Amino acid sequence: MAEMGANQGSTSSELRRMLAGAAFIHSAQYESRIADYLNQGESHGSRFTTALTLKYGNNPHQQPAALCSLKEDGSMPFEVLAGTPGYINLLDAVNAWQLVSELRAALSLPAAASFKHVSPAGAALGVPLTEVEAMAFEVDPAKLSPLATAYVRARNADPLCSFGDFVALSDTVDLATAKVLKSEVSDGIVAPGYEPEALEILQKKKGGNFIVLQADPEFVPPAMERREIFGMGFVQKRNDTVFNAAEHLKTVVSAETELPKGAARDLVLGSVTIKYTQSNSVGYAKNGMMLGVGAGQQSRVDCVKLAGRKVATWWMRQHPKLLALPFKPSVKRQARVNARVRYIEGDMSESERLVWEEHFDQVPEPLTESEKQDWLAALDGVGLCSDAFFPFRDGIDHASKYGVSYVSQPGGSVGDPAVTEAADGYGMVMTHSGLRLFHH
């Protein structure tokens, strides 16, 4: 009516064009559904409806960009409560939310994930921290809820990579978890709900620019996934198989067969995590948390090496020398994280070392190679998960350096006998899940 009042009883050409476009989108969706039905789901009609206009895509020069709905009713898996999400933020959110939701369903524990560039830097469960872990992670366990504990674990798998992460939580965010997030450098969060005090804290983070998404746990995505790339359409059934211990850890192929409850939990955690990690991927897990994720490598043994290096760093952060580093009070949290990692790695140039030494009241004694090796040799009970079979024994040989006692992999390689023999040589328990988990 306002439009007609402003145009002498008529409407503007801009409004008519917009309404006509909306009408044709609606009729096209209707006819596409008919085509799908008549062709038994094989027509693969595209039914994208813009739900949110984005500033740009992967990069600033990729404009325009949008987030679209594929549901008949236009519904989305989450709504924006604060901030302005970007293209990559939303890719992180949708993958991370699926990950924590599946962990919650499979293990009945609060779950958290820390995502960067569409792969998890860490993922974890609400398993209580040990005294040494609490010291290494710089937290007071008495102030943490189970959900807050899950995020502290997820963030501390690889706190170097989690800097500026996108967070996913399986449960309603409580005040304790919001207080943890308040002090971390992070871009945003997705969760099924927020306690009022927690939401107030998060909406003020980053001057109101912290992204807060509320997920809909009842949202059911279409069975088929569609992707358009370079003028072509790719269609596949969504990977809706949920990894669970009863079905996917029952086939033990090693000489050692005892799989403790905690180890089974960690193998489920690791397998669900790599399901949402760019392939090839492997992950190490212990104490209800990922210790290292090796993502996106063309060689599986390189995944093992990459993730193994992260495991070693995680374990070394609990070394007495690391816990006793005499930081100046003015050194900020992330700077302490970075300084500890460089202390462990030890390969600083003279120029870098001079800057590094400024973090401390007293210059620390070096961490020697023999001290590193002795400490690493004490690590055990680690689980290793792989998104596809190990073609050779080299992955198992390398993983043995990082305390691996349990392995879950799909199996199915002609090299299975040699890989199992390697596991037996190290006294590992190995299971074949029969489920490949490539993710691209």
Side-chain angles (χ1 to χ4, degrees):
M1 295 300 293
E3 178 81 15
M4 294 178 69
N7 290 277
Q8 299 180 338
S10 184
T11 57
S12 66
S13 59
E14 290 81 5
L15 178 63
R16 292 195 296 272
R17 185 181 297 109
M18 182 190 71
L19 294 175
F24 277 107
I25 288 174
H26 184 74
S27 61
Q29 290 174 333
Y30 177 72
E31 292 175 358
S32 181
R33 289 195 292 273
I34 294 173
D36 277 350
Y37 175 78
L38 293 175
N39 290 283
Q40 298 181 334
E42 294 299 321
S43 65
H44 307 311
S46 188
R47 300 190 294 268
F48 284 28
T49 303
T50 299
L52 181 65
T53 300
L54 304 178
K55 188 175 180 181
Y56 52 78
N58 276 316
N59 301 290
H61 64 272
Q62 291 180 259
Q63 301 176 45
L67 179 67
C68 300
S69 173
L70 293 176
K71 301 276 281 186
E72 294 181 21
D73 59 3
S75 62
M76 301 291 285
F78 38 67
E79 63 174 313
V80 181
L81 301 185
T84 304
Y87 190 94
I88 297 173
N89 295 141
L90 293 166
L91 288 174
D92 283 341
V94 73
N95 280 279
W97 169 243
Q98 291 178 88
L99 192 163
V100 298
S101 298
E102 288 190 22
L103 286 178
R104 192 57 159 115
L107 296 169
S108 301
L109 288 168
S114 171
F115 259 66
K116 286 285 293 290
H117 288 281
V118 205
S119 279
L125 305 166
V127 175
L129 298 171
T130 67
E131 183 178 350
V132 175
E133 286 174 336
M135 293 174 63
F137 303 163
E138 296 187 352
V139 294
D140 180 358
K143 296 181 179 180
L144 301 178
S145 64
L147 186 64
T149 301
Y151 179 63
V152 166
R153 283 193 176 279
R155 177 88 182 197
N156 280 281
D158 187 352
L160 201 66
C161 288
S162 282
F163 183 79
D165 64 347
F166 204 96
V167 181
L169 299 170
S170 64
D171 295 14
T172 297
V173 180
D174 53 22
L175 183 58
T177 307
K179 286 181 176 179
V180 170
L181 284 161
K182 182 180 180 180
S183 65
E184 299 289 6
V185 178
S186 180
D187 279 355
I189 183 174
V190 58
Y194 301 85
E195 292 181 357
E197 288 180 297
L199 182 58
E200 184 178 357
I201 288 173
L202 297 177
Q203 286 178 325
K204 293 178 179 177
K205 186 174 171 66
K206 293 180 69 174
N209 292 318
F210 185 69
I211 301 160
V212 181
L213 306 179
Q214 182 160 319
D216 178 6
E218 304 302 318
F219 181 86
V220 179
M224 301 299 292
E225 291 181 332
R226 297 170 171 86
R227 185 186 300 186
E228 296 180 358
I229 301 174
F230 201 63
M232 300 180 292
F234 292 77
V235 181
Q236 67 171 354
K237 178 181 178 294
R238 190 172 70 88
N239 186 2
D240 56 4
T241 299
V242 178
F243 193 100
N244 65 86
E247 181 177 358
H248 299 113
L249 297 180
K250 64 183 180 181
T251 305
V252 180
V253 297
S254 55
E256 292 288 336
T257 60
E258 184 178 353
L259 189 63
K261 185 177 180 180
R265 173 203 63 203
D266 292 340
L267 290 179
V268 172
L269 165 63
S271 296
V272 173
T273 298
I274 61 174
K275 179 183 174 183
Y276 293 100
T277 302
Q278 297 298 303
S279 295
N280 289 314
S281 66
V282 305
Y284 296 77
K286 179 180 169 69
N287 290 352
M289 68 180 289
M290 300 305 296
L291 310 185
V293 177
Q297 303 301 302
Q298 288 73 30
S299 166
R300 189 152 305 278
V301 70
D302 281 345
C303 295
V304 175
K305 292 176 180 179
L306 173 60
R309 177 173 59 81
K310 296 172 184 284
V311 174
T313 299
W314 172 85
W315 182 238
M316 291 308 305
R317 285 165 56 213
Q318 300 174 57
H319 189 283
K321 276 193 171 182
L322 271 292
L323 298 177
L325 285 175
F327 285 104
K328 293 178 179 177
S330 60
V331 178
K332 294 183 178 181
R333 181 183 181 85
Q334 191 63 39
R336 295 194 298 272
V337 167
N338 298 349
R340 289 189 183 103
V341 172
R342 295 303 289 134
Y343 180 59
I344 292 166
E345 293 172 341
D347 57 346
M348 289 179 273
S349 67
E350 185 59 30
S351 178
E352 181 186 2
R353 181 172 295 281
L354 291 174
V355 175
W356 178 82
E357 289 176 351
E358 293 177 1
H359 291 88
F360 306 99
D361 289 320
Q362 178 181 335
V363 177
E365 293 183 3
L367 187 64
T368 67
E369 286 303 315
S370 62
E371 287 174 320
K372 294 178 187 179
Q373 293 304 316
D374 290 346
W375 187 255
L376 192 57
L379 178 61
D380 64 1
V382 176
L384 174 67
C385 301
S386 177
D387 65 354
F389 60 64
F390 287 99
F392 310 106
R393 64 169 291 155
D394 53 2
I396 302 302
D397 288 324
H398 194 79
S400 70
K401 301 175 183 180
Y402 304 107
V404 170
S405 303
Y406 313 100
V407 181
S408 175
Q409 57 133 330
S413 167
V414 295
D416 279 352
V419 173
T420 302
E421 181 181 8
D424 287 341
Y426 297 111
M428 299 176 184
V429 177
M430 178 177 284
T431 68
H432 283 181
S433 67
L435 180 66
R436 196 177 80 174
L437 294 169
F438 278 168
H439 182 64
H440 294 287

